[in-house]
């Protein structure tokens, strides 16, 4: 375990979606340093097997360890669902996924015990949200809906486009028929569609953003382990970004999402780890 309180937090995702988690960490833990890795060469994880997602996740964790991180956030719902439990047993670093914090908040938020989850195919098929929610309250019914088109639409920047509205209406229709009162945005890209989803669902459905809940859970975890950052560091040394493919598109997306300007990201041959 790395007990250096001033060491960075490692955050990884299958691509750029995890930057919504980074955004919440920046906002809620402004002192902390962050090393982010986006596996842009091998995205998406949502349609891959558990064995593949586990292999990718292990490689990324090995890379993040070379950056001397003090904790790791798996900012990818698919990797949280398919690889987190295994990796947690393999490393001596505190590690946190995005699924548990989102599931817990949904349990707290629901009034009629009917919760919807929108996510990638493999997150839905893993039934992890349902398992975690029903472990806390067996009376809750969970309805899952895979929304594979949301990720490319968000990455295209079409977060308010009529086409995206039409796709969202079609995806959400069956969940609305189930009389849900809470919806988990179970993919890191989806919070960028928040206002669009809100327009379709109306105010009677509570939207749960696992990215925000994960930042809060990270804060609690660091406090419990006495790993909160002690001294401030210069802004240019605070955040480092890495990707497994060319970084131009990555930087453009990062600067559309994050609260501060990111000037550089480095490409890493992740298969070597």
């Amino acid at each position: 375990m790395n007990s250096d309180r001033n060491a960075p937090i490692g955050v990884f995702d299958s691509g750029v979606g995890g930057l919504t988690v980074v955004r919440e960490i920046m906002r809620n833990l402004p002192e902390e340093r962050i090393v982010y890795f986006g596996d842009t060469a091998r995205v998406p994880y949502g349609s891959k097997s558990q064995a593949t997602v586990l292999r990718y996740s292990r490689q990324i964790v090995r890379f993040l360890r070379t950056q001397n991180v003090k904790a790791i956030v798996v900012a990818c719902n698919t990797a949280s669902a398919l690889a987190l439990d295994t990796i947690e047993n393999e490393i001596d670093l505190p590690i946190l996924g995005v699924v548990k914090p989102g599931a817990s908040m949904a349990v707290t938020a629901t009034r009629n015990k009917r919760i919807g989850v929108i996510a990638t195919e493999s997150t839905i098929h893993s039934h992890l949200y349902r398992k975690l929610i029903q472990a806390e309250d067996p009376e809750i019914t969970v309805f899952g809906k895979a929304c594979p088109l949301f990720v490319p639409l968000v990455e295209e920047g079409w977060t308010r486009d009529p086409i995206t509205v039409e796709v969202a209406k079609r995806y959400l229709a069956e969940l609305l028929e189930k009389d849900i009162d809470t919806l988990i945005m179970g993919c890191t890209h989806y919070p960028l569609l928040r206002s669009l989803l809100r327009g379709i669902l109306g105010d009677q459905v509570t939207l749960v953003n696992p990215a925000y809940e994960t930042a809060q859970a990270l804060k609690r975890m660091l406090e419990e382990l006495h790993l909160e950052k002690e001294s401030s560091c210069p802004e240019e040394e605070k955040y480092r970004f890495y990707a497994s493919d060319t970084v131009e598109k990555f930087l453009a997306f990062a600067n559309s999402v994050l609260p501060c300007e990111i000037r550089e990201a480095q490409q890493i041959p992740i298969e070597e780890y």
Side-chain angles (χ1 to χ4, degrees):
M1 184 152 157
N2 181 358
S3 54
D4 175 9
R5 298 173 71 153
N6 296 318
I9 293 154
V11 182
F12 79 86
D13 179 50
S14 57
V16 294
L19 293 167
T20 60
V21 178
V22 171
R23 174 172 71 176
E24 297 298 342
I25 296 172
M26 287 176 169
R27 283 176 181 163
N28 293 282
L29 293 86
E31 290 303 308
E32 295 292 345
R33 295 167 61 205
I34 298 169
V35 175
Y36 180 85
F37 179 85
D39 199 0
T40 46
R42 305 185 295 197
V43 70
Y45 283 11
S47 51
K48 293 183 169 67
S49 70
Q50 180 164 12
T52 298
V53 172
L54 183 57
R55 181 167 64 86
Y56 290 176
S57 300
R58 280 179 174 140
Q59 289 174 332
I60 296 165
V61 167
R62 283 196 282 270
F63 165 70
L64 288 174
R65 299 203 76 152
T66 68
Q67 304 297 303
N68 296 318
V69 296
K70 63 181 175 183
I72 292 176
V73 176
V74 185
C76 169
N77 282 266
T78 305
S80 296
L82 303 183
L84 178 64
D85 286 352
T86 306
I87 287 174
E88 202 167 4
N89 292 321
E90 293 174 348
I91 64 171
D92 60 350
L93 281 176
I95 186 166
L96 187 69
V98 284
V99 175
K100 279 178 192 160
S104 292
M105 178 43 70
V107 171
T108 308
T110 185
R111 299 170 305 285
N112 72 357
K113 298 190 186 288
R114 298 172 77 78
I115 296 173
V117 180
I118 51 174
T120 62
E121 300 275 358
S122 56
T123 300
I124 295 297
H125 289 151
S126 75
H127 300 298
L128 183 60
Y129 274 106
R130 191 184 73 203
K131 287 171 196 159
L132 291 171
I133 287 166
Q134 291 180 340
E136 287 192 43
D137 185 344
E139 289 178 10
I140 292 176
T141 309
V142 180
F143 304 95
K145 177 68 182 166
C147 302
L149 292 173
F150 278 168
V151 169
L153 288 166
V154 168
E155 291 196 4
E156 203 56 57
W158 293 7
T159 53
R160 295 172 189 278
D161 194 277
I163 289 176
T164 312
V165 174
E166 207 45 54
V167 169
K169 279 181 178 167
R170 197 174 289 195
Y171 279 151
L172 296 174
E174 67 183 74
L175 290 178
L176 285 169
E177 282 169 17
K178 306 281 192 221
D179 191 32
I180 59 163
D181 73 349
T182 304
L183 181 70
I184 299 172
M185 296 182 283
C187 169
T188 46
H189 283 73
Y190 299 179
L192 300 170
L193 295 171
R194 189 186 190 123
S195 57
L196 182 146
L197 297 171
R198 163 70 55 237
I200 296 168
L201 295 165
D203 292 333
Q204 71 277 14
V205 177
T206 303
L207 277 176
V208 174
N209 177 2
Y212 172 78
E213 304 307 333
T214 300
Q216 295 300 320
L218 174 65
K219 197 174 189 174
R220 291 190 295 272
M221 183 174 86
L222 294 177
E223 283 165 6
E224 281 163 22
L225 297 170
H226 306 296
L227 283 173
E228 322 97 287
K229 192 159 184 318
E230 287 174 308
S231 58
S232 55
C233 67
E235 203 62 35
E236 63 272 12
E237 291 172 24
K238 208 167 182 181
Y239 305 127
R240 299 201 301 276
F241 294 87
Y242 299 93
S244 53
D245 206 353
T246 51
V247 297
E248 289 75 18
K249 208 172 169 188
F250 176 90
L251 282 171
F253 191 84
N255 284 313
S256 73
V257 172
L258 297 176
C260 57
E261 192 196 348
I262 306 303
R263 290 199 180 86
E264 64 169 354
Q266 205 177 324
Q267 188 174 341
I268 296 292
I270 196 64
E271 294 281 0
E272 291 174 14
Y273 287 86

